[in-house]
Amino acid sequence: MRNEIIAPEIFLTWVAARTHTIRIGHGVVCMPFHFNHPVRVAERAAMLDLLSGGRVDLGAGRGGTEQETSLCGVDRDRTTQEVEEALRIIGAAWQRDELEYHGELIDIDPHPILPRPRQTPHPPLFLACSRAETLVQAAELGVGALVMGFAGPESIASMRAVYDAALARRDGGRFVSTAVNDHFSVLCPTIVLDDREQARRIGTRGQRFFAQSIGHWYGGAGVPDEAVVDGADETAEMRRAAEQVVARLHELDIPVKPTSTATFNADHAYGTADDAIAYVERLRAAGADEIMCLIQMGTVPQEACLETLRQWGEKVIPHFRTA
């Protein structure tokens, strides 16, 4: 289980107290120093690892929108470097009795860092990856890749090839820890119901809101449309929304790349449990080691979220455990 919510440690502690076997993943902690001091991240994640009995994965990200960075005074030009340095500090803090770090961007005098995590030597580290450059960075740092999967399995296969090529040519000189993680984790938008068409309608509508939100905060597009219209052709509405984003980017003189409309691709795990199984098989064939389900997308009703979780737990996951 991964999260993208406010105050994630509080939510994930609640989850840890009510579960016994599922992995609990930060997907992601914003690592630039003005968002979170690296040592504080290490301490909080270690405590969560202890409370969960050693079930934590820690994902790192930049939080690079102007809305996010302006709140905390983050230097947007330094976010990539600060994320890498934060991962180095966290990897060191979890493996030494006393941390001392002197890097290009931050200095830390000798300090004991407590608590220590349950997992040995520490929880797996991941990096959010949406570009080829970030995939190469993750491979060279020796951390897993958390990959946005909106563009579909073919795009995932291409991203996996970039990651694998970087794994093959790295020499270990940039590793952030002695514990290397080469796990490739892929996002999977999904709504699963007994009624296939209803699931597709709800999922596509929710994804359109999600995609419009990303376009608004990252590309200057308009405010997301929150209205839910019964009987609307959501596939057509998705196409229109993508066209509006492209038009807005042209107005702002922002280059339109293939990634600009990737979030508007509606070919995902929407439908019955069998549809979800078939889509996950495609992601697995494309190179996914792990699937991260994206269910709650703005306009998706709570009952559809809960039913999707139930169907994944009772039908989708068991299929892959026995396959």
Side-chain angles (χ1 to χ4, degrees), residues 21 32-34 41 57 71 76 82 87 99 111 152 157 187 195 206 209 211 235 243-244 259 300 323:
T21 58
F33 305 153
H34 281 212
V41 175
D57 296 338
L71 176 65
R76 297 175 72 182
E82 289 187 7
L87 286 169
L99 172 68
H111 282 282
L187 191 71
D195 186 329
F209 178 87
T235 301
E243 291 167 359
Q244 290 170 359
T259 54
V300 177

Side-chain angles (χ1 to χ4, degrees), residues 47-168:
M47 177 60 77
L48 181 59
D49 198 50
L50 288 171
L51 293 174
S52 66
R55 293 185 279 140
V56 168
D57 296 338
L58 181 63
R62 295 191 304 121
T65 69
E66 184 175 356
Q67 181 212 24
E68 294 166 306
T69 55
S70 61
L71 176 65
C72 299
V74 172
D75 184 343
R76 297 175 72 182
D77 294 331
R78 290 185 13 153
T79 54
T80 298
Q81 297 94 321
E82 289 187 7
V83 168
E84 180 171 333
E85 199 147 309
L87 286 169
R88 295 189 184 284
I89 293 167
I90 293 167
W94 281 339
Q95 296 184 83
R96 301 176 188 170
D97 292 333
E98 186 174 72
L99 172 68
E100 181 175 4
Y101 183 88
H102 302 287
E104 294 183 6
L105 303 178
I106 192 171
D107 287 300
I108 300 174
D109 292 329
H111 282 282
I113 307 299
L114 296 171
R116 303 293 287 274
R118 169 74 176 272
Q119 296 176 81
T120 304
H122 58 69
L125 296 172
F126 289 83
L127 180 65
C129 299
S130 59
R131 298 173 291 113
E133 295 89 341
T134 326
L135 288 162
V136 172
Q137 182 188 20
E140 293 182 349
L141 298 182
V143 302
L146 300 177
V147 178
M148 296 282 277
F150 282 109
E154 292 75 18
S155 174
I156 293 300
S158 297
M159 298 178 79
R160 179 74 205 218
V162 171
Y163 188 62
D164 285 345
L167 293 178

Side-chain angles (χ1 to χ4, degrees), residues 35 279 294 300:
F35 283 134
Y279 187 77
L294 175 61
V300 177

Side-chain angles (χ1 to χ4, degrees), residues 210-222 245 248-249 260 263-264:
F210 187 91
Q212 288 175 322
S213 299
I214 292 176
H216 176 66
W217 294 115
Y218 279 85
V245 167
R248 179 61 174 162
L249 292 176
S260 301
T263 52
F264 292 89

Side-chain angles (χ1 to χ4, degrees), residues 151-316:
E154 292 75 18
S155 174
I156 293 300
S158 297
M159 298 178 79
R160 179 74 205 218
V162 171
Y163 188 62
D164 285 345
L167 293 178
R169 64 175 179 263
R170 69 186 181 188
D171 60 10
R174 292 184 66 192
F175 285 172
V176 298
S177 170
T178 59
V180 176
N181 175 28
D182 295 336
H183 209 65
F184 193 81
S185 186
V186 175
L187 191 71
C188 175
T190 181
I191 296 295
V192 177
L193 307 172
D194 290 332
D195 186 329
R196 172 182 286 120
E197 293 309 313
Q198 183 185 19
R200 288 178 175 170
R201 188 165 54 250
I202 291 174
T204 303
R205 177 64 190 93
Q207 185 185 328
R208 176 158 63 92
F209 178 87
F210 187 91
Q212 288 175 322
S213 299
I214 292 176
H216 176 66
W217 294 115
Y218 279 85
V223 175
D225 175 14
E226 297 185 41
V228 178
V229 180
D230 290 338
D233 183 345
E234 286 299 340
T235 301
E237 292 296 330
M238 184 78 92
R239 284 197 298 268
R240 276 194 286 272
E243 291 167 359
Q244 290 170 359
V245 167
V246 170
R248 179 61 174 162
L249 292 176
H250 281 310
E251 287 177 9
L252 297 173
D253 262 345
I254 298 174
V256 178
K257 304 176 183 178
T259 54
S260 301
T261 56
T263 52
F264 292 89
N265 167 46
D267 178 20
H268 296 300
Y270 302 139
T272 65
D274 287 341
D275 294 325
I277 288 169
Y279 187 77
V280 173
E281 290 283 14
R282 293 171 62 194
L283 293 180
R284 181 163 68 171
D289 296 319
E290 176 188 22
I291 302 301
M292 300 178 289
C293 292
L294 175 61
I295 299 171
Q296 212 301 316
M297 296 177 284
T299 63
V300 177
Q302 177 72 353
E303 57 269 22
C305 294
L306 295 177
E307 178 63 12
T308 297
L309 290 171
R310 187 186 69 80
Q311 297 240 10
W312 270 77
E314 294 181 359
K315 299 177 182 179
V316 181

